Amino acid sequence: MQIGFIGLGSMGSAMALNLVKAGHEVRAWNRSRIVQDRVPGITLVPVAADAFQADAVFTMLSDDPAIREVILDAGLLAKARPGLTHVITSTISVALARELEVLHEKVALGYVSAPVLGRPNVAASGQLNILAAGKADAVAAIEPLLASIGKRVWKLGEDPARANAAKIACNMMIAMAIEAMAEGVVLTESVGLDRADFFELILGTLFSGRAYESYSAQITDRSFEPGFKAKLALKDMRLAVEAGNQIGRTLPMLEAVREGLANAVSAGLGEKDWSIMADMTVRNIATATDSGER
Ligand code: NAP
């Protein structure tokens, strides 16, 4: 198949390369210049509109404003190849997913919300979990493509917003797990228990899940290279707050982790992995300069 790809960042480049490996012709656009050697087999196109002249196009831009700027404000949907299916794998708001559904319907394009679980190394090995929602025919049209970038496609129904709400909830809960582990370390290190021993205990007894395994290792090693950037995680906590506001709910644990990530970003650590939030809690760096996020 001919596939367009928009956004060759940490996740997008890994996913686009897996589409090439699966035998597809990939034409990709990225805002800043990409060295061809980094993306062998991918044809780099000069304007984003070119990526919409394909059977399907994937968008892996960072956030809502980037999607508005690159796709909606530039009128790319109206210029797309007729019959194309647009797959947005970015983590975006529930509200934008709803708006995108209507906008795609207006121009008779397929639209699938397909945010992903897994970090760039997982994307590189084609092992992402993909949360897919959209009209059944649109999902069916791109299912073989999703199979090339992920190990499992979780079909969440015809309403695209479901996939986005599920993804935002997952990230909210990972942030809570990171903060929970950090606060556990605060108590146990105060009596001289090594954090590696504490984590061995909790992983072997009460908390054996993937998020605990992966992030306890980073907290133990004090290794905070992304991974998933704290500034993008803060964006996701904002999306969760907004989704709660839309249904008239304030979620207290969410508010706490949003503030922890806002502190990390304010302290200039936005490019670090989001688990840097745990380091700040353990070292009792509670507040930093105000970034307007608090
Ligand atoms: P990233 O490495 O920062 O890449 C972001 C991409 O968006 C880059 O291609 C960047 O272009 C582009 N971009 C940002 N603003 C833009 C704008 N205004 N106009 C045009 N292009 C713009 O981020 P990532 O880690 O790949 O994450 C991408 C998405 O996946 C996010 O929604 C994130 O929440 C989600 N996600 C990430 C992970 C993870 O572990 N990293 C896991 C699951 C989901 P430039 O190269 O020019 O900056």
Side-chain angles (χ1 to χ4, degrees):
M1 266 170 96
Q2 277 195 340
I3 302 167
F5 209 104
I6 307 258
L8 295 174
S10 320
M11 295 293 287
S13 54
M15 292 159 66
L17 285 169
N18 279 330
L19 289 167
V20 170
K21 272 189 213 149
H24 300 291
E25 188 187 331
V26 177
R27 292 162 59 77
W29 177 84
N30 196 66
R31 173 181 59 180
S32 46
R33 200 178 147 271
I34 297 278
V35 180
Q36 181 72 62
D37 289 356
R38 244 193 72 206
V39 288
I42 292 177
T43 304
L44 296 168
V45 294
V47 289
D50 289 347
F52 275 75
Q53 305 310 310
D55 300 311
V57 59
F58 281 73
T59 293
M60 195 39 152
L61 295 170
S62 44
D63 53 16
D64 288 25
I67 289 175
R68 282 194 188 284
E69 184 187 326
V70 174
I71 295 167
L72 302 185
D73 296 351
L76 297 197
L77 299 185
K79 299 178 200 157
R81 183 196 277 187
L84 163 146
T85 305
H86 186 192
V87 189
I88 300 195
T89 53
S90 311
T91 306
I92 59 169
S93 67
V94 168
L96 182 58
R98 294 223 156 96
E99 188 182 335
L100 285 163
E101 183 185 17
V102 173
L103 293 173
H104 284 75
E105 248 170 43
K106 265 190 192 158
V107 290
L109 295 180
Y111 170 56
V112 179
S113 258
V116 299
L117 296 178
R119 292 152 64 90
N121 60 326
V122 177
S125 58
Q127 295 294 302
L128 292 169
N129 277 289
I130 303 167
L131 316 183
K135 295 267 177 309
D137 54 345
V139 174
I142 51 107
E143 224 176 328
L145 305 178
L146 298 183
S148 319
I149 59 172
K151 71 171 173 194
R152 177 155 179 191
V153 179
W154 301 80
K155 291 189 199 166
L156 301 180
E158 295 232 330
D159 176 2
R162 281 191 181 186
N164 300 90
K167 168 64 191 177
I168 292 166
C170 287
N171 275 15
M172 174 184 81
M173 292 170 71
I174 297 172
M176 290 171 179
I178 291 171
E179 182 60 20
M181 283 187 278
E183 294 184 19
V185 167
V186 169
L187 293 186
T188 51
E189 281 192 344
S190 74
V191 292
L193 184 58
D194 189 85
R195 65 180 70 176
D197 294 335
F198 172 61
F199 286 141
E200 191 181 350
L201 166 72
I202 65 164
L203 291 175
T205 53
L206 300 167
F207 297 101
S208 57
R210 189 84 49 84
Y212 277 86
E213 270 166 32
S214 155
Y215 289 101
S216 65
Q218 292 205 219
I219 297 168
T220 302
D221 298 345
R222 296 171 175 81
S223 114
F224 303 111
E225 291 317 307
F228 185 44
K229 293 170 192 160
K231 68 176 188 188
L232 289 179
L234 175 58
K235 173 257 303 179
D236 291 352
M237 298 311 114
R238 264 193 236 119
L239 297 182
V241 170
E242 280 168 28
N245 288 344
Q246 277 158 18
I247 51 167
R249 296 294 302 267
T250 303
L251 304 175
M253 283 170 69
L254 166 61
E255 190 46 45
V257 289
R258 189 204 63 77
E259 190 167 325
L261 284 161
N263 283 335
V265 172
S266 298
L269 301 169
E271 297 294 324
K272 295 285 179 194
D273 192 74
W274 58 338
S275 51
I276 194 72
M277 177 178 58
D279 191 52
M280 293 184 72
T281 294
V282 172
R283 293 195 292 126
N284 201 17
I285 305 172
T287 49
T289 48
D290 202 311
S291 68
E293 286 288 353
R294 299 168 55 74

